[in-house]
Amino acid sequence: MKLAEWSTHPVHLRYAREIHWPSADEDGVDYVLLRLVTDDGLVGVAEGNAKLLWSSVNWRVLCVILEELLVPLIQDVDLLDERAVARAIGRVREHRTARSMVEAACWDLRAQALGKPLWQIWGGDSEVPVSWTVTRQAPTLMAEEAGTMVDRHGFGTLKVKTGQSREIDRAALNEIRSAVGPDVEIMIDANGSYPEDEALDYVKELGQLGVTFAEDPCNLKPNHNFEELQAASPIPILVDRGCTNADEAALWLDRGARALSLPASYDESQRMAELALPAHCCGHVGFTSGASLGALAALQVQSALPTRHYSLPSEASFFLMYPEEYATEPLRIEAGKVRLPETPGHDQWIDWERVKALRPT
């Protein structure tokens, strides 16, 4: 199966409200859709985040990387051959977002060729638990959002973005617990906001507040300091920053990591989860701000992880933050789970006229 044509399609989606990330305040985000068409007419698609602060590209740069660097490398490759595609794009060492998009679009094509959705090909589950991420606001507003999302979608796990200050974090966590009741699991992500010498005191306080996982409480490195912090912590430290591939995962596991946040790329996340499994280390697909297509791809990856039955739910639910997107039908979350589609092919989820209308200026 050979490539006949390809195209890139940038879109801009607005959030329902302004989001206060640790590094920036945003009212929306840019994506790029990659569309591959084969010589027998199959269409494979993938979505990539074009956020400069997260992936070091804007949408124009991401389009150029795909069109001029990566896609030409697979023009003469059999796209059904996973290893051949990996070897071809492996000639470009950087540009992780673009590489993942090419991989995802090729997997989309293989699913159609085999007549099965990806989660079935990979041996995954048909339903995937998901969590909701509560971003930084005033504690009262965070609690109000948490309560609404739990009531509306049945989330059993919340990820709370902390790091506004110890006092504000404490107030937010207490108010959120009051809003959602005792049965909802709460984890936090401080995005490395606190000093290393404060981290142990912080995670001990989090344990007292009923938090079950602490993601990046400080700037972590796979060294003796992390090993001591995890050994003394009453709760698992979830490693996100600095753990993007299997080589890095091995370093963290050697230092006693108990939880790893995995990328939404199937190939890399599988390798990382396979390393985590013998150590009974949690490994789940971490936060993605993807729209419905990006979330669908990430959820199928999560559905097949070797670690999925004892790890945290996938965090691929942020598509609910977009009042309007390009999907023909947004994914639905009921009882805290997404039921994956029974038919292959992601192109059917895309309204290409909406894609044109949502092009960024």
Side-chain angles (χ1 to χ4, degrees):
M1 184 169 64
K2 297 294 183 67
L3 185 64
E5 60 181 271
W6 70 86
S7 55
T8 54
H9 306 266
V11 296
H12 179 78
L13 301 182
R14 296 186 66 84
Y15 298 132
R17 60 168 174 80
E18 187 174 65
I19 304 294
H20 304 287
W21 304 114
S23 53
D25 296 334
E26 294 180 336
D27 60 8
V29 64
D30 293 335
Y31 294 97
V32 171
L33 304 183
L34 173 64
R35 188 173 188 266
L36 305 181
V37 183
T38 67
D39 51 8
D40 54 1
L42 295 181
V43 179
V45 293
E47 172 192 290
N49 188 304
K51 187 181 293 190
L52 186 62
L53 290 172
W54 285 17
S55 50
S56 300
V57 293
N58 59 27
W59 67 265
R60 292 181 179 86
V61 171
L62 184 52
C63 286
V64 169
I65 293 168
L66 288 164
E67 293 171 357
E68 298 190 13
L69 291 183
L70 284 172
V71 176
L73 294 174
I74 61 171
Q75 271 193 285
D76 299 319
V77 173
D78 180 2
L79 302 182
L80 291 179
D81 189 335
E82 177 188 352
R83 292 183 178 180
V85 170
R87 284 195 301 269
I89 65 175
R91 293 164 58 188
V92 178
R93 294 188 179 182
E94 305 298 332
H95 309 303
R96 186 177 63 187
T97 298
R99 286 162 53 96
S100 295
M101 291 173 69
V102 173
E103 289 174 354
C106 288
W107 272 114
D108 189 22
L109 291 169
R110 293 172 199 136
Q112 294 170 70
L114 293 171
K116 296 180 180 180
L118 284 172
W119 63 270
Q120 287 186 5
I121 293 170
W122 294 335
D125 303 323
S126 61
E127 287 190 333
V128 184
V130 289
S131 62
W132 176 249
T133 297
V134 183
T135 55
R136 294 176 173 183
Q137 298 185 84
T140 300
L141 295 176
M142 294 175 73
E144 181 180 339
E145 178 184 306
T148 297
M149 299 306 283
V150 168
D151 290 343
R152 185 177 297 167
H153 300 286
F155 289 109
T157 301
L158 296 172
K159 176 178 178 176
V160 178
K161 289 284 190 177
T162 59
Q164 297 189 80
S165 77
R166 295 280 296 277
E167 181 180 0
I168 294 176
D169 290 353
R170 189 181 309 113
L173 291 168
N174 282 327
E175 292 198 35
I176 289 170
R177 176 58 71 198
S178 295
V180 302
D183 297 328
V184 174
E185 182 174 6
I186 296 177
M187 55 183 289
I188 68 95
D189 179 8
N191 290 112
S193 296
Y194 295 109
E196 188 174 9
D197 60 7
E198 193 178 330
L200 181 56
D201 183 56
Y202 182 54
V203 295
K204 286 182 175 179
E205 181 180 23
L206 293 173
Q208 293 169 356
L209 291 169
V211 171
T212 54
F213 286 80
E215 181 176 334
D216 292 349
C218 61
N219 287 322
L220 301 172
K221 295 180 181 179
N223 55 21
H224 182 67
N225 289 341
F226 169 78
E227 193 170 3
E228 286 190 335
L229 174 63
Q230 180 58 93
S233 174
I235 59 177
I237 306 298
L238 175 58
V239 180
D240 180 24
R241 296 182 182 184
C243 189
T244 61
N245 57 52
D247 289 341
E248 292 172 349
L251 296 176
W252 289 105
L253 290 166
D254 284 345
R255 290 297 184 174
R258 295 171 57 190
L260 301 177
S261 181
L262 309 183
S265 165
Y266 172 74
D267 302 297
E268 200 62 55
S269 66
Q270 277 288 121
R271 287 190 285 268
M272 295 167 73
E274 287 168 0
L275 289 174
L277 187 64
H280 207 71
C281 173
C282 294
H284 75 297
V285 174
F287 181 78
T288 64
S289 63
S292 287
L293 176 62
L296 177 59
L299 290 167
Q300 293 192 89
V301 171
Q302 172 80 20
S303 78
L305 289 175
T307 53
R308 65 189 182 274
H309 295 305
Y310 62 80
S311 285
L312 290 162
S314 169
E315 297 174 29
S317 64
F318 209 65
F319 60 90
L320 295 174
M321 188 56 74
Y322 302 117
E324 180 182 28
E325 54 168 300
Y326 60 82
T328 55
E329 181 182 351
L331 291 173
R332 297 174 61 184
I333 299 175
E334 297 178 347
K337 296 180 180 179
V338 174
R339 176 169 286 278
L340 298 174
E342 297 287 339
T343 55
H346 294 165
D347 182 63
Q348 63 186 308
W349 289 78
I350 300 177
D351 182 338
W352 289 103
E353 290 302 314
R354 290 297 308 140
V355 169
K356 293 178 184 178
L358 292 168
R359 183 180 176 88
T361 56

